Coordinates of all heavy atoms in Angstrom, one line a residue:
M28 N -14.9 8.2 -3.1 CA -13.5 7.9 -3.0 C -13.5 6.6 -2.2 O -14.2 6.5 -1.2 CB -12.6 9.0 -2.4 CG -12.4 10.1 -3.3 SD -11.4 9.5 -4.7 CE -10.0 10.5 -4.7
V29 N -12.5 5.8 -2.5 CA -12.3 4.6 -1.6 C -10.9 4.7 -1.1 O -9.9 5.0 -1.6 CB -12.3 3.4 -2.6 CG1 -12.0 2.1 -1.9 CG2 -13.5 3.2 -3.3
R30 N -10.8 4.4 0.2 CA -9.6 4.4 0.9 C -9.2 2.9 1.4 O -10.1 2.2 1.7 CB -9.9 5.2 2.3 CG -8.6 5.3 3.1 CD -8.8 6.3 4.2 NE -9.3 7.7 3.8 CZ -8.6 8.6 3.3 NH1 -7.3 8.6 3.0 NH2 -9.2 9.7 2.9
A31 N -7.9 2.6 1.3 CA -7.6 1.3 1.6 C -6.2 1.4 2.2 O -5.4 2.4 2.1 CB -7.4 0.5 0.3
Y32 N -5.8 0.4 3.0 CA -4.6 0.4 3.6 C -3.9 -1.0 3.2 O -4.6 -2.1 3.2 CB -4.7 0.3 5.2 CG -5.5 1.5 5.6 CD1 -6.8 1.6 5.7 CD2 -4.7 2.6 6.0 CE1 -7.5 2.7 6.1 CE2 -5.4 3.7 6.3 CZ -6.7 3.8 6.4 OH -7.4 5.0 6.8
V33 N -2.6 -0.8 2.8 CA -1.9 -2.0 2.2 C -0.7 -2.2 3.1 O 0.2 -1.3 3.3 CB -1.4 -1.8 0.7 CG1 -0.7 -2.9 0.2 CG2 -2.7 -1.4 -0.1
L34 N -0.6 -3.5 3.5 CA 0.6 -3.9 4.4 C 1.6 -4.6 3.3 O 1.2 -5.3 2.4 CB 0.2 -4.9 5.4 CG -0.8 -4.4 6.5 CD1 -1.2 -5.6 7.2 CD2 -0.1 -3.3 7.2
L35 N 2.9 -4.2 3.5 CA 3.9 -4.7 2.6 C 5.0 -5.4 3.4 O 5.3 -4.9 4.5 CB 4.5 -3.6 1.8 CG 3.7 -2.6 1.0 CD1 4.5 -1.5 0.5 CD2 3.1 -3.4 -0.2
K36 N 5.4 -6.5 2.9 CA 6.5 -7.3 3.5 C 7.7 -6.9 2.6 O 7.6 -7.2 1.4 CB 6.3 -8.6 3.6 CG 7.3 -9.5 4.4 CD 6.8 -10.8 4.9 CE 5.5 -10.7 5.8 NZ 5.8 -11.3 7.1
A37 N 8.7 -6.4 3.1 CA 9.9 -6.1 2.3 C 11.1 -7.0 2.5 O 11.1 -7.8 3.6 CB 10.4 -4.7 2.7
E38 N 12.0 -7.1 1.5 CA 13.3 -7.8 1.7 C 13.9 -7.3 3.0 O 13.8 -6.1 3.2 CB 14.0 -7.7 0.5 CG 13.5 -8.5 -0.8 CD 14.4 -8.4 -2.0 OE1 15.5 -8.0 -1.9 OE2 13.8 -9.0 -3.0
V39 N 14.8 -8.1 3.5 CA 15.5 -7.6 4.7 C 16.2 -6.4 4.5 O 17.0 -6.2 3.4 CB 16.5 -8.8 5.2 CG1 17.3 -8.4 6.3 CG2 15.8 -10.0 5.5
G40 N 16.1 -5.4 5.3 CA 16.8 -4.2 5.3 C 16.3 -3.2 4.3 O 16.9 -2.0 4.1
E41 N 15.2 -3.4 3.7 CA 14.7 -2.6 2.5 C 13.4 -1.8 2.9 O 12.8 -1.2 2.0 CB 14.6 -3.5 1.2 CG 15.8 -3.9 0.8 CD 16.8 -2.9 0.3 OE1 16.4 -1.8 -0.2 OE2 18.1 -3.1 0.5
A42 N 12.9 -1.9 4.1 CA 11.6 -1.3 4.5 C 11.6 0.3 4.2 O 10.7 0.7 3.7 CB 11.3 -1.5 6.0
A43 N 12.6 0.9 4.5 CA 12.7 2.4 4.4 C 12.7 2.7 3.0 O 11.9 3.7 2.5 CB 13.9 3.0 5.0
T44 N 13.5 2.0 2.2 CA 13.5 2.2 0.8 C 12.0 2.0 0.1 O 11.7 2.7 -0.7 CB 14.6 1.4 0.1 OG1 15.8 1.7 0.6 CG2 14.6 1.6 -1.4
L45 N 11.5 0.8 0.5 CA 10.2 0.5 0.0 C 9.1 1.6 0.3 O 8.4 2.0 -0.6 CB 9.7 -0.8 0.5 CG 8.4 -1.3 0.0 CD1 8.4 -1.4 -1.6 CD2 8.3 -2.8 0.5
A46 N 9.1 2.1 1.5 CA 8.2 3.1 2.0 C 8.4 4.4 1.1 O 7.4 5.0 0.6 CB 8.4 3.5 3.4
E47 N 9.7 4.8 0.9 CA 9.9 6.0 0.1 C 9.5 5.8 -1.4 O 8.9 6.7 -2.0 CB 11.5 6.3 0.1 CG 12.0 7.4 -0.7 CD 11.8 8.7 -0.1 OE1 11.7 8.7 1.2 OE2 11.7 9.6 -0.8
T48 N 9.9 4.6 -2.0 CA 9.4 4.2 -3.3 C 8.0 4.2 -3.4 O 7.4 4.8 -4.6 CB 10.0 2.9 -3.8 OG1 11.5 3.0 -3.6 CG2 9.9 2.8 -5.3
S49 N 7.2 3.7 -2.5 CA 5.8 3.5 -2.7 C 5.0 4.9 -2.6 O 4.0 5.1 -3.2 CB 5.2 2.7 -1.6 OG 5.4 3.1 -0.3
R50 N 5.7 5.9 -2.0 CA 5.1 7.3 -2.0 C 5.1 7.9 -3.3 O 4.3 8.9 -3.6 CB 5.9 8.1 -1.1 CG 5.8 7.9 0.4 CD 6.6 8.8 1.3 NE 6.7 8.2 2.7 CZ 7.8 7.8 3.3 NH1 8.9 7.9 2.7 NH2 7.6 7.3 4.5
S51 N 5.9 7.4 -4.3 CA 5.8 7.9 -5.7 C 4.7 7.5 -6.5 O 4.4 8.0 -7.6 CB 7.2 7.6 -6.4 OG 7.2 6.3 -6.6
I52 N 3.9 6.5 -6.0 CA 2.7 6.0 -6.7 C 1.5 6.9 -6.5 O 1.3 7.5 -5.4 CB 2.3 4.6 -6.2 CG1 3.5 3.6 -6.5 CG2 1.0 4.2 -6.9 CD1 3.2 2.3 -6.0
D53 N 0.9 7.4 -7.6 CA -0.2 8.4 -7.6 C -1.2 8.2 -6.5 O -1.5 9.2 -5.9 CB -0.8 8.6 -8.9 CG 0.1 9.3 -9.9 OD1 1.0 9.9 -9.6 OD2 -0.1 8.9 -11.2
A54 N -1.8 7.0 -6.3 CA -2.8 6.9 -5.4 C -2.4 6.8 -4.0 O -3.4 6.9 -3.1 CB -3.5 5.5 -5.7
V55 N -1.1 6.8 -3.6 CA -0.7 6.8 -2.3 C -0.7 8.0 -1.5 O -0.1 9.1 -2.0 CB 0.8 6.1 -2.3 CG1 1.5 6.1 -0.9 CG2 0.9 4.7 -2.7
E56 N -1.3 8.0 -0.3 CA -1.4 9.2 0.3 C -0.2 9.3 1.4 O 0.4 10.3 1.5 CB -2.8 9.2 1.1 CG -4.1 9.3 0.3 CD -4.1 10.7 -0.4 OE1 -4.0 11.6 0.2 OE2 -4.4 10.7 -1.6
T57 N 0.0 8.1 2.1 CA 1.0 8.1 3.0 C 1.7 6.7 2.9 O 1.1 5.8 2.6 CB 0.6 8.4 4.4 OG1 -0.3 7.5 4.8 CG2 0.0 9.8 4.6
A58 N 2.9 6.7 3.4 CA 3.5 5.2 3.6 C 4.5 5.4 4.8 O 5.2 6.4 4.9 CB 4.3 4.9 2.4
H59 N 4.5 4.4 5.6 CA 5.2 4.4 6.8 C 5.9 3.0 7.2 O 5.2 2.0 7.1 CB 4.3 4.8 8.1 CG 3.7 6.0 8.0 ND1 4.2 7.2 8.2 CD2 2.4 6.3 7.4 CE1 3.4 8.3 8.0 NE2 2.3 7.7 7.5
V60 N 7.1 3.0 7.7 CA 7.7 1.8 8.0 C 7.1 1.6 9.5 O 6.9 2.5 10.3 CB 9.3 2.1 8.2 CG1 9.9 0.8 8.9 CG2 9.9 2.3 6.9
I61 N 6.7 0.3 9.6 CA 6.1 -0.1 11.0 C 6.9 -1.3 11.6 O 7.5 -2.0 10.9 CB 4.6 -0.5 10.7 CG1 4.6 -1.7 9.7 CG2 3.8 0.7 10.2 CD1 3.0 -2.1 9.5
A62 N 6.5 -1.6 12.9 CA 7.1 -2.7 13.5 C 6.1 -3.8 13.6 O 4.8 -3.6 13.6 CB 7.5 -2.3 14.9
G63 N 6.4 -5.1 13.4 CA 5.5 -6.2 13.6 C 5.9 -7.2 12.4 O 6.9 -7.2 11.9
D64 N 4.7 -7.9 12.2 CA 4.9 -8.9 11.1 C 5.1 -8.3 9.7 O 5.4 -9.1 8.7 CB 3.6 -9.8 11.1 CG 3.5 -10.6 12.4 OD1 4.5 -11.0 13.0 OD2 2.4 -11.0 12.7
W65 N 4.6 -7.1 9.5 CA 4.7 -6.5 8.2 C 5.7 -5.3 8.5 O 6.0 -4.8 9.4 CB 3.3 -6.0 7.8 CG 2.4 -7.0 7.5 CD1 1.7 -7.7 8.4 CD2 2.3 -7.8 6.2 NE1 0.9 -8.7 7.8 CE2 1.4 -8.9 6.5 CE3 2.8 -7.5 5.1 CZ2 1.0 -9.7 5.5 CZ3 2.4 -8.5 4.0 CH2 1.4 -9.5 4.2
D66 N 6.2 -4.8 7.3 CA 7.3 -3.7 7.3 C 6.8 -2.4 7.0 O 7.5 -1.4 7.4 CB 8.4 -4.3 6.3 CG 8.9 -5.5 6.7 OD1 9.3 -5.8 7.8 OD2 8.9 -6.4 5.8
V67 N 5.8 -2.2 6.1 CA 5.4 -1.0 5.6 C 3.9 -0.9 5.6 O 3.3 -2.0 5.2 CB 6.1 -0.6 4.2 CG1 5.5 0.7 3.8 CG2 7.5 -0.6 4.3
I68 N 3.3 0.2 6.0 CA 1.8 0.3 5.8 C 1.6 1.6 4.8 O 2.3 2.6 5.0 CB 0.9 0.5 7.2 CG1 -0.5 0.5 6.8 CG2 1.6 1.7 7.9 CD1 -1.3 0.3 8.1
V69 N 0.8 1.3 3.8 CA 0.5 2.4 2.8 C -0.9 2.7 2.8 O -1.9 1.8 2.9 CB 0.9 1.9 1.4 CG1 0.6 2.9 0.4 CG2 2.4 1.6 1.4
E70 N -1.3 4.0 2.8 CA -2.6 4.5 2.6 C -2.9 4.8 1.3 O -2.1 5.7 0.6 CB -3.0 5.6 3.6 CG -4.4 6.0 3.5 CD -4.7 7.2 4.5 OE1 -3.7 7.6 5.3 OE2 -5.8 7.6 4.7
I71 N -3.9 4.3 0.6 CA -4.3 4.6 -0.8 C -5.7 5.2 -0.8 O -6.6 4.8 0.0 CB -4.4 3.2 -1.6 CG1 -3.0 2.7 -1.7 CG2 -4.9 3.5 -3.0 CD1 -2.9 1.4 -2.4
E72 N -5.8 6.2 -1.7 CA -7.1 6.7 -2.0 C -7.3 6.8 -3.6 O -6.4 7.3 -4.2 CB -7.2 8.1 -1.4 CG -8.7 8.7 -1.4 CD -8.7 10.0 -0.8 OE1 -8.9 10.1 0.6 OE2 -8.7 11.1 -1.4
A73 N -8.5 6.1 -3.9 CA -8.8 6.1 -5.4 C -10.2 6.3 -5.6 O -11.1 5.9 -4.6 CB -8.2 4.7 -5.8
P74 N -10.6 6.6 -6.8 CA -12.1 6.7 -7.1 C -12.9 5.5 -6.9 O -14.0 5.5 -6.5 CB -12.0 7.2 -8.5 CG -10.6 7.7 -8.8 CD -9.7 6.9 -8.0
E75 N -12.3 4.3 -7.2 CA -13.2 3.0 -7.3 C -12.3 2.0 -6.6 O -11.1 2.0 -6.6 CB -13.6 2.6 -8.6 CG -14.4 3.7 -9.4 CD -15.8 3.9 -8.8 OE1 -16.3 2.9 -8.2 OE2 -16.4 4.9 -9.0
V76 N -13.0 0.9 -6.1 CA -12.3 -0.3 -5.5 C -11.4 -0.9 -6.6 O -10.4 -1.3 -6.2 CB -13.3 -1.3 -5.0 CG1 -12.7 -2.6 -4.7 CG2 -14.0 -0.7 -3.8
Y77 N -11.9 -0.8 -7.8 CA -11.1 -1.5 -8.9 C -9.7 -0.7 -9.0 O -8.7 -1.4 -9.2 CB -11.7 -1.4 -10.2 CG -10.9 -1.8 -11.4 CD1 -10.6 -3.1 -11.8 CD2 -10.3 -0.8 -12.2 CE1 -9.8 -3.5 -12.7 CE2 -9.3 -1.1 -13.2 CZ -9.2 -2.5 -13.5 OH -8.4 -2.9 -14.5
D78 N -9.7 0.5 -8.9 CA -8.5 1.3 -8.9 C -7.5 1.0 -7.8 O -6.3 0.9 -7.8 CB -8.8 2.9 -8.8 CG -9.7 3.1 -10.0 OD1 -9.3 2.8 -11.2 OD2 -10.6 4.1 -9.9
V79 N -8.0 0.8 -6.6 CA -7.3 0.3 -5.4 C -6.6 -1.0 -5.7 O -5.4 -1.2 -5.5 CB -8.2 0.2 -4.1 CG1 -7.4 -0.5 -3.0 CG2 -8.6 1.6 -3.8
L80 N -7.5 -2.0 -6.2 CA -6.9 -3.2 -6.5 C -6.0 -3.3 -7.6 O -4.9 -3.9 -7.5 CB -8.1 -4.3 -6.8 CG -9.1 -4.4 -5.7 CD1 -10.2 -5.3 -6.1 CD2 -8.4 -5.1 -4.4
S81 N -6.1 -2.4 -8.6 CA -5.2 -2.3 -9.7 C -3.8 -1.7 -9.1 O -2.9 -2.1 -9.5 CB -5.8 -1.5 -10.8 OG -4.9 -1.2 -11.8
T82 N -3.9 -0.7 -8.3 CA -2.7 -0.2 -7.8 C -1.9 -1.2 -7.0 O -0.7 -1.2 -7.2 CB -3.0 1.1 -6.9 OG1 -3.7 2.0 -7.7 CG2 -1.9 1.7 -6.2
T83 N -2.6 -1.9 -6.2 CA -2.0 -2.9 -5.3 C -1.4 -4.0 -6.3 O -0.3 -4.6 -6.1 CB -3.0 -3.4 -4.3 OG1 -3.4 -2.4 -3.6 CG2 -2.3 -4.5 -3.5
A84 N -2.2 -4.5 -7.1 CA -1.7 -5.9 -7.9 C -0.8 -5.5 -9.0 O 0.0 -6.3 -9.3 CB -3.0 -6.4 -8.5
T85 N -0.8 -4.3 -9.4 CA 0.2 -4.0 -10.5 C 1.4 -3.1 -9.9 O 2.5 -3.6 -9.8 CB -0.4 -3.3 -11.7 OG1 -1.0 -2.2 -11.3 CG2 -1.4 -4.3 -12.4
E86 N 1.1 -1.9 -9.6 CA 2.2 -0.9 -9.2 C 2.9 -1.4 -7.9 O 4.1 -1.2 -8.0 CB 1.5 0.4 -9.1 CG 1.1 1.0 -10.4 CD 0.5 2.4 -10.3 OE1 1.3 3.4 -10.0 OE2 -0.7 2.6 -10.4
M87 N 2.2 -1.7 -6.9 CA 2.9 -1.9 -5.6 C 3.6 -3.3 -5.7 O 4.7 -3.5 -5.3 CB 1.8 -1.9 -4.5 CG 1.2 -0.5 -4.4 SD 0.6 -0.3 -2.7 CE 1.9 0.4 -2.1
Q88 N 3.0 -4.4 -6.3 CA 3.7 -5.6 -6.4 C 4.8 -5.8 -7.3 O 5.6 -6.5 -7.2 CB 2.7 -6.8 -6.6 CG 1.6 -7.0 -5.5 CD 0.6 -8.1 -5.7 OE1 0.6 -8.6 -6.9 NE2 0.0 -8.5 -4.8
D89 N 4.9 -4.7 -8.2 CA 5.9 -4.6 -9.1 C 7.1 -3.9 -8.6 O 8.2 -3.8 -9.2 CB 5.5 -3.8 -10.4 CG 4.7 -4.8 -11.4 OD1 4.7 -6.1 -11.2 OD2 4.0 -4.3 -12.2
L90 N 7.0 -3.1 -7.4 CA 8.1 -2.5 -6.8 C 9.3 -3.5 -6.4 O 8.9 -4.6 -5.9 CB 7.7 -1.7 -5.5 CG 6.7 -0.5 -5.8 CD1 6.3 0.0 -4.4 CD2 7.4 0.5 -6.6
S91 N 10.5 -3.1 -6.6 CA 11.6 -4.0 -6.1 C 11.4 -4.1 -4.6 O 10.9 -3.1 -3.9 CB 12.9 -3.5 -6.6 OG 13.1 -2.3 -6.1
N92 N 11.9 -5.2 -4.0 CA 12.0 -5.4 -2.6 C 10.6 -5.8 -2.0 O 10.5 -6.0 -0.9 CB 12.5 -4.2 -1.9 CG 13.8 -3.8 -2.4 OD1 14.6 -4.7 -2.7 ND2 14.1 -2.6 -2.6
V93 N 9.5 -5.9 -2.7 CA 8.2 -6.4 -2.2 C 8.2 -7.8 -2.2 O 8.3 -8.5 -3.2 CB 7.0 -5.7 -2.9 CG1 5.8 -6.3 -2.4 CG2 7.0 -4.3 -2.9
L94 N 7.9 -8.4 -1.1 CA 7.8 -9.9 -0.9 C 6.3 -10.4 -0.9 O 6.0 -11.5 -1.3 CB 8.5 -10.5 0.3 CG 10.1 -10.2 0.3 CD1 10.6 -10.7 1.5 CD2 10.7 -10.9 -1.0
D95 N 5.5 -9.7 -0.3 CA 4.1 -9.9 -0.1 C 3.3 -8.7 0.2 O 3.9 -7.6 0.6 CB 4.0 -10.9 1.1 CG 2.7 -11.6 1.2 OD1 1.8 -11.5 0.1 OD2 2.4 -12.3 2.1
T96 N 2.0 -8.6 -0.1 CA 1.1 -7.5 0.3 C -0.1 -8.1 0.8 O -0.6 -9.2 0.5 CB 0.8 -6.7 -1.1 OG1 0.0 -7.5 -1.9 CG2 2.0 -6.1 -1.6
K97 N -0.8 -7.3 1.7 CA -2.2 -7.5 2.1 C -2.9 -6.3 2.1 O -2.4 -5.2 2.7 CB -2.1 -8.0 3.5 CG -3.5 -8.6 4.1 CD -3.3 -9.4 5.4 CE -2.8 -10.7 5.0 NZ -3.3 -11.7 5.7
T98 N -4.0 -6.4 1.4 CA -4.9 -5.0 1.3 C -6.1 -5.1 2.1 O -6.9 -6.0 2.1 CB -5.3 -4.9 -0.2 OG1 -4.0 -4.9 -1.0 CG2 -5.9 -3.5 -0.4
Y99 N -6.4 -4.0 2.8 CA -7.7 -3.8 3.5 C -8.4 -2.7 3.1 O -7.8 -1.5 3.0 CB -7.5 -3.6 5.0 CG -6.8 -4.9 5.7 CD1 -5.3 -5.0 5.8 CD2 -7.5 -5.9 6.3 CE1 -4.8 -6.1 6.2 CE2 -7.0 -6.9 6.8 CZ -5.6 -7.0 6.8 OH -5.1 -8.2 7.4
V100 N -9.6 -2.8 2.5 CA -10.5 -1.7 2.0 C -11.3 -1.1 3.2 O -12.1 -2.0 3.9 CB -11.3 -2.1 0.7 CG1 -12.1 -1.0 0.2 CG2 -10.4 -2.6 -0.3
S101 N -11.3 0.1 3.4 CA -12.2 0.8 4.4 C -13.6 0.7 4.0 O -13.9 1.0 2.8 CB -11.6 2.2 4.7 OG -12.4 2.9 5.6
I102 N -14.5 0.4 5.0 CA -15.9 0.4 4.6 C -16.7 1.5 5.2 O -17.8 1.6 5.1 CB -16.5 -1.0 4.9 CG1 -16.3 -1.3 6.5 CG2 -16.0 -2.0 4.1 CD1 -17.1 -2.4 6.9
D103 N -16.0 2.4 6.1 CA -16.7 3.5 6.7 C -16.6 4.7 5.8 O -15.6 4.8 5.0 CB -16.3 3.7 8.1 CG -14.8 4.3 8.2 OD1 -14.1 4.1 7.3 OD2 -14.5 4.9 9.2
E104 N -17.6 5.7 5.9 CA -17.5 6.9 5.2 C -17.0 8.0 6.0 O -17.3 8.0 7.2 CB -18.8 7.1 4.6 CG -19.3 6.2 3.5 CD -20.7 6.4 3.0 OE1 -21.0 7.6 2.9 OE2 -21.4 5.6 2.7
E105 N -16.2 8.9 5.5 CA -15.8 9.9 6.1 C -16.6 11.2 6.1 O -17.3 11.4 5.2 CB -14.4 10.4 5.7 CG -13.3 9.3 6.0 CD -11.9 9.6 5.6 OE1 -11.6 10.8 5.7 OE2 -11.3 8.8 5.3

């Protein structure tokens, strides 16, 4: 399994809605509103790196209120 963390930038006032909506995506394990330069952090778990990238590039970027994303793939094994 591949684990990744995706940072999302939301439209003003939409961070909580975006976190809630992103939780409905199958690969998403958790989603939290955060403080700082980004608005939401999402943890994804998928069988392959391609699946992580596909989830981010299609499903997450297609959500309303998403202005930008940044994906970090974990390289350590649990």
Side-chain angles (χ1 to χ4, degrees):
M28 285 300 238
V29 177
R30 184 172 308 278
Y32 300 90
V33 182
L34 298 172
L35 304 173
K36 191 165 295 241
E38 291 183 7
V39 175
E41 296 297 326
T44 301
L45 182 56
E47 177 82 23
T48 305
S49 65
R50 290 183 192 114
S51 67
I52 296 172
D53 287 337
V55 171
E56 294 292 311
T57 62
H59 303 280
V60 175
I61 58 174
D64 293 333
W65 295 87
D66 302 306
V67 177
I68 188 167
V69 175
E70 182 178 1
I71 294 176
E72 189 172 278
E75 301 290 335
V76 171
Y77 172 81
D78 299 318
V79 168
L80 298 176
S81 177
T82 298
T83 302
T85 57
E86 294 182 71
M87 299 201 92
Q88 289 181 354
D89 283 347
L90 293 174
S91 61
N92 306 322
V93 173
L94 299 177
D95 197 8
T96 64
K97 187 169 282 222
T98 303
Y99 295 91
V100 177
S101 177
I102 58 171
D103 66 343
E104 295 183 29
E105 293 182 36

